Amino acid sequence: MRYLPDGKQMKEADTHTIEELGVPSLVLMERAALEVVETMEKKGIDTSKALVVCGSGNNGGDGFAAARILTERGRQADIVFAGKESSMSQECRIQKQIAENMGLRIFTEFPSEEYTVIIDAVFGVGLSREISGHLKDMIGLMNHAPGRKVSIDIPSGVCAQDGRVLGTAFRAELTVGMACTKLGCELYPGKYYAGETAAVPIGINPEFFSDRDAVFHTYEKEDIPRLLPARKPDSHKGSYGKVLMITGSYGMAGASCLAAMAAYTAGAGLVQIYTPADNRVIVQQLLPEAVLSCYNGYDEKKLDELLEWADVVCIGCGLGTDRQAEQLLTRTIEKVKVPCVVDADGINLLSRNKELLSNSAAPLILTPHMMEMSRLTGYSVGRIKENRIEILRSFTENSEAVCVLKDSRTVVAQKGKHPFINLAGNSGMAKAGSGDVLAGMITGLLAQGMQPFESAALGVYLHACGGDESRERLGSYGITARNLIQGIQICMKKAEEQKEK
């Protein structure tokens, strides 16, 4: 697991390290510069003739120090000072003076020479205004110049909080983050400008963020073995939970099968599908492992019996939004006593009757995509994309539910928890049925006793890793939802083998 702080959060960690631990700012700057140089070398970037473009703040100071270190290693390192003398930080002024004392070439305009690498040290994580004028022109010249492109900490012009482009931005192929990769480097469109990201140690301990629940975190593949629920040798299907899937409508039997198969793949012991009688033959043929209960009309008594039987419930995949579906959703939310995943049409129905959210006594996990989140909140999709963090935070502050906001960067949030952001996965997963698989994965993990937030975060990550496994075998174009399940199976097998070592 690793943290992805924004600019304000990173500044707090920086201040704590300097003022509370007593590590001088110049020491952090020296380590930052050294790590930038060594990371470029590890990545095979030709630094034989480098141009470092520096601003007036501490990010510029990192750049001046990096140019000096490159020079000490026998490289040619020229500098463009794009800032103002009057607004220089004390540390940046010191680093600039050292570079001058060493005789490094320092320009105030972009030179006409060609360089093997352009290093961006103009703005750091504190930028909050749009870039204009001379600095906007300078970044344009940096982008159009030949050579490899590297940013120190964050590409200049990218907002560290939400990945917005503030007027213009440097387009890096590598961004070297100090202590942690910044959140804005992983959210789109910031990710397009950050390229590959690499976090390097400079003396700031990322564990500073452990008790600050507003800070985002993410998983890496080596985390999966410790996150998976335990399986005991002396166990049976009841040991791993009874799942009730209230899914499918006429013509949507596939949604039921995909969600149920994903729940089994996640490790659930027994899955019962409650679906219209029209789906009986299809479901029995496609998924003989599932127990099947069917209805021809709304049957409240039968529904209550099934809700009493289940250890976990999933409702909504392919359910439809007609009167019968509405009755199923309303009764389930009102009566369910165990964790309940609400997906797809379940969310669309919930958006018509939002007070159900506060009436439910059971833990709820909602899995909306952007349009479904728009219906839930009343905000436009565009506004949610631009302000997803604040909107999601506000939504979960006013609800006890876990919210899984699905997008190219899916975010899982719950009040009092570090938000989780998923960085795995690929465009091949943008296919019908993918959401059904995700809902099933989360449900299957819940069935094994995991807590709702942890089930949602791990389910999202395993789903995405399954997509990456599928892309390796099939490419991005040919992946189907069934392939995702196969990819997840491979991913979980690898994690289990690693766990056993």
Side-chain angles (χ1 to χ4, degrees):
M1 187 195 80
R2 56 192 177 97
Y3 294 107
L4 299 168
D6 62 23
K8 181 181 178 182
Q9 293 159 350
M10 196 65 224
K11 180 64 176 175
E12 291 173 354
D14 191 66
T15 300
H16 170 79
T17 304
I18 295 167
E19 296 183 0
E20 301 297 324
L21 301 184
V23 181
S25 180
L26 277 172
V27 171
L28 298 178
M29 189 171 283
E30 287 294 315
R31 289 195 63 181
L34 180 61
E35 290 289 347
V36 168
V37 171
E38 293 192 342
T39 301
M40 288 192 294
E41 291 176 351
K42 289 174 185 175
K43 299 293 182 181
I45 293 174
D46 183 357
T47 57
S48 59
K49 188 178 181 183
L51 180 67
V52 188
V53 185
C54 300
S56 305
N58 281 2
N59 191 252
D62 294 343
F64 280 111
R68 187 189 76 243
I69 292 169
L70 285 168
T71 301
E72 291 169 351
R73 295 190 175 195
R75 319 293 202 271
Q76 178 183 335
D78 295 341
I79 299 168
V80 175
F81 178 52
K84 295 180 180 178
E85 290 279 349
S86 60
S87 58
M88 292 180 75
S89 69
Q90 180 182 358
E91 292 86 353
C92 185
R93 191 178 301 278
I94 290 170
Q95 295 289 3
K96 180 173 181 286
Q97 185 62 60
I98 295 171
E100 290 173 346
N101 293 343
M102 289 181 62
L104 273 67
R105 293 201 298 174
I106 302 177
F107 303 96
T108 55
E109 298 294 334
F110 202 87
S112 58
E113 300 176 38
E114 289 192 5
Y115 294 86
T116 61
V117 61
I118 310 294
I119 302 171
D120 161 39
V122 182
F123 292 109
V125 296
L127 182 68
S128 58
R129 59 179 173 81
E130 289 213 349
I131 299 171
S132 59
H134 169 70
L135 289 171
K136 183 175 182 179
D137 294 339
M138 180 65 71
I139 290 174
L141 292 169
M142 293 162 64
N143 281 334
H144 286 96
R148 309 286 295 272
K149 306 291 171 62
V150 176
S151 280
I152 297 179
D153 212 20
I154 191 168
S156 292
V158 170
C159 177
Q161 180 178 357
D162 55 24
R164 285 179 298 128
V165 173
L166 300 170
T168 190
F170 181 70
R171 194 176 289 274
E173 61 186 270
L174 171 66
T175 298
V176 184
M178 302 305 115
C180 301
T181 298
K182 309 309 176 290
L183 180 61
C185 290
E186 296 294 0
L187 289 170
Y188 290 101
K191 180 61 177 175
Y192 287 127
Y193 292 82
E196 181 185 358
T197 54
V200 295
I202 65 168
I204 298 174
N205 188 351
E207 285 304 306
F208 171 82
F209 302 116
S210 62
D211 61 351
R212 288 161 170 78
D213 58 31
V215 180
F216 277 68
H217 75 288
T218 192
Y219 293 148
E220 296 176 310
K221 283 192 175 180
E222 52 265 33
D223 294 317
I224 298 175
R226 68 173 178 81
L227 295 170
L228 286 174
R231 297 184 75 84
K232 299 178 180 179
D234 182 19
S235 59
H236 52 83
K237 63 178 180 287
S239 305
Y240 304 112
K242 297 175 292 185
V243 172
L244 174 63
M245 291 272 179
I246 308 172
T247 53
S249 58
Y250 180 72
M252 296 295 289
S256 294
C257 294
L258 288 168
M261 186 61 194
Y264 273 131
T265 295
L270 180 62
V271 179
Q272 181 167 188
I273 300 174
Y274 191 45
T275 194
D278 294 328
N279 292 336
R280 180 185 298 277
V281 174
I282 298 172
V283 173
Q284 286 180 327
Q285 288 178 340
L286 292 178
L287 195 63
E289 297 93 340
V291 176
L292 191 61
S293 294
C294 294
Y295 56 85
N296 287 303
Y298 179 62
D299 185 341
E300 192 169 276
K301 181 180 178 182
K302 178 63 174 178
L303 177 60
D304 288 353
E305 289 174 357
L306 290 172
L307 291 173
E308 191 66 31
W309 168 86
D311 295 319
V312 60
V313 174
C314 176
I315 184 168
C317 305
L319 187 66
T321 56
D322 60 14
R323 175 59 180 160
Q324 183 171 267
E326 187 173 7
Q327 289 175 308
L328 287 167
L329 185 280
T330 300
R331 186 66 176 179
T332 297
I333 297 297
E334 289 176 344
K335 296 293 289 185
V336 69
K337 299 175 183 177
V338 296
C340 180
V341 177
V342 184
D343 183 54
D345 287 331
I347 294 170
N348 292 328
L349 291 166
L350 196 59
S351 67
R352 300 178 189 172
N353 195 7
K354 296 174 187 175
E355 60 269 21
L356 285 172
L357 272 174
S358 56
N359 293 342
S360 175
L364 298 181
I365 298 178
L366 312 180
T367 60
H369 56 53
M370 284 290 176
M371 181 57 73
E372 291 161 350
M373 190 67 174
S374 176
R375 296 183 186 115
L376 268 180
T377 62
Y379 295 113
S380 68
V381 170
R383 185 169 180 185
I384 295 172
K385 281 185 173 288
E386 290 176 3
N387 301 281
R388 75 186 70 198
I389 295 171
E390 289 307 315
I391 289 172
L392 189 54
R393 183 171 291 139
S394 175
F395 181 81
T396 53
E397 283 291 327
N398 293 299
S399 168
E400 295 298 320
V402 176
C403 187
V404 179
L405 182 54
K406 298 184 291 192
D407 196 36
S408 56
R409 288 291 192 244
T410 294
V411 176
V412 182
Q414 184 182 26
K415 184 178 180 180
K417 298 280 190 178
H418 287 282
F420 170 82
I421 183 169
N422 175 57
L423 305 184
N426 60 84
S427 63
M429 300 169 67
K431 296 284 180 70
S434 180
D436 303 318
V437 173
L438 175 58
M441 285 298 300
I442 295 170
T443 304
L445 294 170
L446 274 171
Q448 297 168 81
M450 289 186 68
Q451 293 300 305
F453 179 85
E454 287 71 20
S455 297
L458 181 56
V460 166
Y461 188 62
L462 287 170
H463 180 256
C465 289
D468 288 338
E469 289 283 354
S470 298
R471 182 179 59 178
E472 285 186 20
R473 295 184 295 116
L474 302 169
S476 296
Y477 292 91
I479 297 173
T480 66
R482 285 176 294 175
N483 299 140
L484 283 182
I485 293 175
Q486 294 163 356
I488 293 166
Q489 290 169 339
I490 294 169
C491 178
M492 294 183 73
K493 178 177 180 292
K494 289 180 179 178
E496 186 176 12
E497 290 169 348
Q498 185 64 35
K499 194 174 185 177
E500 291 171 352
K501 287 182 180 179

